[in-house]
Amino acid sequence: MNGREVAIVGMECVFPGARNLREYWLNLVDGVDALQEIPAGRLNGHQGLAGRRGGFLPEDLRFEPLRFGIMPNIVPQGDPDQFLMLDVIDRAL
């Protein structure tokens, strides 16, 4: 190569309709449409969005703060995207 070799040490992901890389790959192979109706609990007073579709992460994804040395009372104040990324990186490695 040209001196820019790359080593892939781990891969992981979370996408609508896929909790991990394997589910994501199977969705791609099977041509799965992961869009769904907006769940009622997510409308938050925006009833004009009813009937529309979107991509939503699985509801049962739960961040385990103690696993990362984070006190549970900090989680409601934190950024859910950062917690999700921390969990995905941990699973990849």
Side-chain angles (χ1 to χ4, degrees):
M1 295 189 95
N2 59 8
R4 297 182 182 172
E5 290 80 13
V6 174
I8 298 173
V9 295
M11 293 174 43
E12 189 56 86
C13 64
V14 174
F15 284 103
R19 289 176 182 80
N20 55 49
L21 187 61
R22 177 173 165 59
E23 287 182 14
Y24 177 66
W25 181 253
L26 291 173
N27 285 350
L28 288 176
V29 169
D30 295 339
V32 172
D33 178 3
L35 297 181
Q36 62 183 20
E37 295 291 324
I38 298 175
R42 298 222 181 157
L43 291 175
N44 296 329
H46 297 93
Q47 299 304 323
L49 296 176
R52 296 205 178 157
R53 295 168 49 86
F56 300 94
L57 296 180
E59 287 286 332
D60 62 350
L61 287 177
R62 297 286 181 252
F63 178 68
E64 298 175 28
L66 295 177
R67 181 174 177 198
F68 299 99
I70 299 172
M71 297 306 296
N73 61 329
I74 300 296
V75 174
Q77 303 161 22
D79 183 345
D81 292 334
Q82 290 180 354
F83 295 136
L84 179 62
M85 183 60 71
L86 182 62
D87 186 54
V88 170
I89 291 170
D90 181 64
R91 289 188 287 136
L93 299 176

